[in-house]
Amino acid sequence: MTEPSINQEMGAVLKSLGIDSINPGASTGSGWFPGTRDRIDSYSPVDGSRIASVEIPGRDVYESVINTAEKAFAEWQLIPAPKRGEIVRQLGVEFRNYKEPLGKLVSYEMGKSIQEGLGEVQEMIDICDYAVGLSRQLSGFTMHSERPFHRMYEQYHPLGPVGIISAFNFPIAVWSWNAMIAFVCGDVCIWKPSEKVPLCAIACQKIVARVFNKNGIPEGVSNLIVGDYEAGKHLAGDKRLPLISATGSTRMGKSVGETVGARLGRSILELGGNNAIIISGHADLRLALNSALFGAVGTAGQRCTTTRRLIIHDSVFDEFRDRLVHAYGQLLIGNPLDETMHVGPLIDKDAVRLFKEALKKIKQEGGIPIVEGEVLEGSPYESGCYVKPAIYLVRNDYEMVQHETFAPILYLIKYNTIEEAIRIHNDVPQGLSSSIMSNNLRETELFLSHAGSDCGIANVNIGTSGAEIGGAFGGEKETGGGRESGSDVWKCYMRRQTNTINFGDRIPLAQGIRFDIGE
Ligand code: UN1
């Protein structure tokens, strides 16, 4: 069977991004990461086309990338932070200029709807704007010393080359959350994108390289290593990278965390979620429905923030279930580049296999189908990656419910009291995002209190997904504890130093210790 080739529209999109399809030329050399392939082929889940074949770098290329990055760090950190911010501002302008083709490429290579593809590029633009402002605000505290004529303060220095491992579901935005902050902090980056979406990474790298070149910035501030799982492990073990920021599955994060920890490096881990919405008897069901729907089927259930569980009060359960089933019936599933479609394909056939297996297991455990999921066949589903989203009535302690399946499977669970709802809510190994739908202040405040949600993100009357870049993003428990993006997360990308300066003519010791040797 011959492989379908890229259609004309996508060919033009790639061309406008300066990419020679099939051999986009990210790196050269033969594969050397043990157990990996020499090349990575990228297939679009939209229509099954092979859209790129990228070489995995050889050991020599890897070493030269790291050496160049180290040299570039020596120079980049000397450029004042606001000047680095100016270059990030220009990156934001370029991402604006390329928003449409980049959004389309994300949609085509990853399979998310074009709306979400454009949204992903917008998230990059937003983080650039944020980082520009931040470049003038990398400030520390000053403290009052207990010793006379002493001054204390703390400052933040650039950290070094940062390894960024990103997942397929946000092929470019999550990289930019890390990279744009790291750039203004004075760090250089080595990006290992998911092997499922190398073309998106290559497109971004080309845009970034052009802006850096134009500004006379040395090569090596922004680097790309295309590879698979083993390549990520290798980065994690590389002592020359003081920080590894990794986004992906808990399984991957455990391995990266262990490897980085063994060398006492620093890591930011943003891993699996098992996010729930509590729908109270006091909820506005219209808001709840919209939030649950986008949360569960947006990105075909492949966000780490996807809504996987709805914990619904007994009094509104039947009504809400019926409205949800009706809404699922209206979903249009198909080519994500067609703006009228709500749900695109899963990333690949392996994901489809996991979806099928999960449905089988959940049934074996006693789950009752409310909307039965299935793999879609025939035109326009020839790629074999399209599925119909499923809803199951379950108990929270089922093994599958405790587990993150990266697919559109939504679990419904009933509750009676708010305390019970919160208990069910927290009773999973993951702790990323959460929300409550309620107009009752006692319930919503309880949910946000220490006795409420145990997640890194807790929302009221909005869903679990679609966070803005301004807040710190990440979660607790098996989600890994890391934080990316906004707030004071930049501190993770810098080296913190406390300084004490004596401007007196004596050496008094702290804690009142006397140590006189007489003169
Ligand atoms: C992810 O799925 O890894 O909050 C990131 C959201 C997006 C980011 C998700 N802003 O859903």
Side-chain angles (χ1 to χ4, degrees):
M1 195 180 102
T2 55
E3 285 166 354
S5 58
I6 292 181
N7 65 37
Q8 254 186 349
E9 191 199 349
M10 283 317 297
V13 164
L14 290 178
K15 210 164 155 212
S16 72
L17 289 164
I19 291 176
D20 169 23
S21 159
I22 300 300
N23 284 305
S27 46
T28 52
S30 54
W32 69 280
F33 294 108
T36 62
R37 303 154 271 172
D38 287 1
R39 308 188 69 82
I40 283 174
D41 289 332
S42 172
Y43 289 89
S44 166
V46 175
D47 56 12
S49 302
R50 186 166 68 113
I51 56 177
S53 179
V54 187
E55 286 179 28
I56 297 181
R59 180 184 289 271
D60 48 340
V61 175
Y62 177 84
E63 282 304 315
S64 89
V65 166
I66 301 294
N67 289 337
T68 317
E70 283 189 305
K71 284 202 195 94
F73 174 61
E75 290 188 45
W76 180 243
Q77 64 170 330
L78 295 179
I79 297 174
K83 294 260 172 356
R84 296 193 296 257
E86 160 54 22
I87 292 168
V88 169
R89 186 192 66 76
Q90 294 175 33
L91 289 177
V93 171
E94 283 304 272
F95 293 143
R96 281 175 172 86
N97 291 339
Y98 286 98
K99 182 170 176 181
E100 196 172 320
L102 266 182
K104 281 185 175 163
L105 178 56
V106 167
S107 177
Y108 191 54
E109 192 177 32
M110 183 273 160
K112 65 175 68 176
S113 75
I114 179 64
Q115 275 306 312
E116 292 186 57
L118 293 171
E120 178 156 356
V121 185
Q122 187 58 47
E123 204 160 350
M124 299 170 74
I125 296 167
D126 294 343
I127 198 77
C128 287
D129 288 357
Y130 182 86
V132 177
L134 186 64
S135 70
R136 291 184 184 267
Q137 298 174 75
L138 303 171
S139 45
F141 288 114
T142 70
M143 304 90 181
H144 288 268
S145 168
E146 67 185 61
R147 288 167 282 187
F149 302 109
H150 279 58
R151 184 165 72 82
M152 283 173 74
Y153 76 107
E154 61 180 22
Q155 58 177 335
Y156 291 86
H157 295 303
L159 185 64
V162 173
I164 302 170
I165 300 171
S166 62
F168 77 84
N169 63 337
F170 274 80
I172 53 182
V174 174
W175 158 74
S176 73
W177 294 353
N178 287 280
M180 300 309 135
I181 303 288
F183 288 153
V184 296
C185 289
D187 301 333
V188 302
C189 296
I190 295 113
W191 178 18
K192 207 293 285 173
S194 159
E195 69 275 19
K196 295 177 180 178
V197 285
L199 213 47
C200 288
I202 292 168
C204 287
Q205 179 69 2
K206 282 187 190 263
I207 292 172
V208 173
R210 267 201 307 276
V211 171
F212 280 134
N213 284 344
K214 208 173 79 194
N215 285 276
I217 301 301
E219 200 192 329
V221 175
S222 181
N223 306 281
L224 183 63
I225 295 280
V226 175
D228 53 21
Y229 191 74
E230 291 296 329
K233 261 183 93 170
H234 193 81
L235 275 182
D238 194 327
K239 281 191 189 142
R240 293 165 292 184
L241 311 178
L243 171 65
I244 300 290
S245 177
T247 304
S249 67
T250 294
R251 190 177 74 93
M252 177 282 296
K254 280 185 179 164
S255 151
V256 167
E258 268 174 30
T259 312
V260 178
R263 63 174 171 93
L264 298 182
R266 222 190 263 183
S267 55
I268 298 175
L269 300 175
E270 198 264 282
L271 313 174
N274 194 344
N275 319 295
I277 303 179
I278 295 176
I279 299 174
S280 133
H282 303 284
D284 177 332
L285 292 187
R286 194 177 44 91
L287 296 191
L289 184 67
N290 285 338
S291 305
L293 199 59
F294 179 71
V297 307
T299 331
Q302 300 170 107
R303 287 192 190 211
C304 56
T305 51
T306 289
T307 306
R308 310 218 172 269
R309 298 174 296 144
L310 294 183
I311 304 165
I312 310 173
H313 193 262
D314 238 352
S315 62
V316 290
F317 186 89
D318 289 352
E319 182 188 347
F320 190 76
R321 179 203 53 209
D322 292 349
R323 285 167 78 164
L324 194 62
V325 169
H326 182 256
Y328 265 57
Q330 315 290 306
L331 289 175
L332 298 175
I333 306 164
N335 186 332
L337 285 150
D338 173 347
E339 281 189 6
T340 60
M341 295 295 137
H342 301 108
V343 184
L346 290 178
I347 184 68
D348 55 20
K349 287 189 183 150
D350 209 36
V352 172
R353 181 181 59 77
L354 293 172
F355 168 79
K356 283 200 305 203
E357 276 176 25
L359 292 183
K360 203 168 126 199
K361 284 192 195 145
I362 201 73
K363 258 188 289 220
Q364 280 166 1
E365 286 192 273
I368 300 167
I370 305 285
V371 173
E372 188 56 288
E374 58 177 329
V375 180
L376 298 168
E377 281 165 8
S379 176
Y381 307 125
E382 288 90 345
S383 72
C385 298
Y386 292 83
V387 302
K388 184 170 159 249
I391 306 178
Y392 270 72
L393 179 64
V394 298
R395 278 210 336 253
N396 197 61
D397 60 359
Y398 291 171
E399 201 190 315
M400 284 317 291
V401 178
Q402 295 283 311
H403 176 87
E404 179 192 44
T405 303
F406 231 47
I409 305 173
L410 181 62
Y411 299 124
L412 307 191
I413 302 157
K414 278 190 200 177
Y415 82 90
N416 268 311
T417 66
I418 185 67
E419 289 76 17
E420 183 193 2
I422 291 173
R423 207 166 41 244
I424 294 170
H425 175 277
N426 290 345
D427 192 13
V428 289
Q430 310 82 354
L432 179 56
S433 187
S434 60
S435 59
I436 185 166
M437 294 284 160
S438 173
N439 287 330
N440 179 310
L441 184 82
R442 286 190 179 157
E443 287 183 343
T444 56
E445 289 296 319
L446 183 68
F447 183 72
L448 298 178
S449 77
H450 66 278
S453 163
D454 63 0
C455 291
I457 299 169
N459 298 330
V460 174
N461 290 338
I462 65 164
T464 58
S465 67
E468 301 175 19
I469 55 92
F473 184 90
E476 305 301 331
K477 302 195 286 186
E478 286 195 358
T479 304
R483 293 294 185 277
E484 295 173 327
S485 196
S487 187
D488 63 351
V489 167
W490 60 270
K491 291 179 179 171
C492 302
Y493 298 80
M494 299 200 84
R495 183 165 64 78
R496 184 177 195 149
Q497 189 174 64
T498 303
N499 308 108
T500 308
I501 300 144
N502 177 3
F503 56 98
D505 59 359
R506 318 188 78 115
I507 294 283
L509 296 179
Q511 296 88 45
I513 295 172
R514 296 188 56 174
F515 192 75
D516 300 327
I517 48 170
E519 278 165 67

